[in-house]
Amino acid sequence: MNAYLHRSENRGHVQAGWLNTYHSFSFGSWYDPKYMGFGPLRVINDDTIAAHNGFGTHPHDNMEILTYVTDGRLSHRDTMGNEEHITAGEWQLMSAGTGVAHSEFNNSDEPVHLFQIWIHPNVRDAEPTYQQIKLDPSEQPNQWHLIAGPNDNAAMHIRQNAEVKAAVLEAGKTLEIAATQKHNYVHVIKGQIMIENQIVKAGDALLFDEKTTIHALEDSEMIWFDLPA
């Protein structure tokens, strides 16, 4: 199996007042030509937003923007007319299409921890859409949950021939990865797993191209991206 381990310590780290963020790929003020994305996967930002702070209104276009809140509550407002709260265990998918502006704010007294993921679409200049679901993988551990994909079997529809799955794997358990496409990218949110004798810890990711098995060395949570070439 061809595999590459992207270590947590090789991510970009930016502490900018109210925002503490780790970038798996080049983003904003942090740039490294070795980390520019993987296939259509362009951004994985591991963000912690301090109380009563957040991102003011700003625009996007032609990007699939997936947000997963792991702790706290994030308030969302956009020019499509959506005003929502995204709480721990919830996912949001904003397909920016021809263009949309939005804000993401922590109105609470506690920090919010979230993952922001950007995927390039395979359809440009489509009508912007908004989707949101509650799907906490810890409620049904030791299995993959299909968060977003191109077909109707996915909880949310993404404009790309890619699937995003999440799982919580309990210590000592195993989980198969049977990829449907060429490239796989597994990002560990918390815990520690082993894939093909590689130990992959929180903040790490493993890129590989074949079917394999994940072994949980401790209670772990991860996101799996099944991506086209």
Side-chain angles (χ1 to χ4, degrees), residues 8 11-14 20-24 44-47:
S8 175
R11 296 184 296 173
H13 179 220
V14 177
N20 184 28
T21 182
Y22 292 86
H23 303 320
S24 293
I44 300 178
N45 289 348
D46 181 346
D47 293 342

Side-chain angles (χ1 to χ4, degrees), residues 18-19 47-51 53-55 74 104 106 110-112 114:
W18 53 267
L19 177 65
D47 293 342
T48 300
I49 300 173
N53 280 283
F55 301 101
L74 190 67
E104 307 284 349
N106 176 12
E110 301 295 331
V112 170
L114 62 102

Side-chain angles (χ1 to χ4, degrees), residues 17-161:
W18 53 267
L19 177 65
N20 184 28
T21 182
Y22 292 86
H23 303 320
S24 293
F25 305 116
S26 293
F27 187 89
S29 63
W30 182 74
Y31 173 78
D32 188 322
K34 298 191 300 293
Y35 302 111
M36 296 301 297
F38 184 63
L41 177 61
R42 176 60 187 88
V43 167
I44 300 178
N45 289 348
D46 181 346
D47 293 342
T48 300
I49 300 173
H52 304 290
N53 280 283
F55 301 101
T57 302
H58 58 283
H60 295 281
D61 66 80
N62 290 307
M63 191 65 74
E64 304 294 287
I65 301 172
L66 181 65
T67 300
Y68 175 42
V69 175
T70 61
D71 295 286
R73 187 177 82 163
L74 190 67
S75 296
H76 167 95
R77 178 180 293 177
D78 64 46
T79 51
M80 292 181 282
N82 299 296
E83 292 189 30
E84 304 289 346
H85 299 300
I86 313 162
T87 59
E90 292 189 329
W91 304 72
Q92 174 210 76
L93 178 57
M94 192 175 68
S95 297
T98 54
V100 63
H102 73 133
S103 62
E104 307 284 349
F105 209 81
N106 176 12
N107 289 310
S108 74
D109 296 328
E110 301 295 331
V112 170
H113 183 225
L114 62 102
F115 286 84
Q116 185 180 135
I117 297 155
W118 294 11
I119 296 174
H120 288 290
N122 57 9
V123 177
R124 291 186 60 82
D125 296 328
E127 182 180 354
T129 62
Y130 181 93
Q131 302 165 76
Q132 184 174 332
I133 60 168
K134 169 75 173 179
L135 205 165
D136 186 345
S138 66
E139 295 177 357
Q140 293 182 294
N142 307 316
Q143 61 181 292
W144 290 114
H145 298 272
L146 179 56
I147 305 300
N151 302 316
D152 292 340
N153 62 328
M156 296 190 293
H157 180 266
I158 193 168
R159 290 170 174 148
Q160 179 55 262
N161 188 26

Side-chain angles (χ1 to χ4, degrees), residues 5 10 91 97:
L5 184 59
N10 292 329
W91 304 72

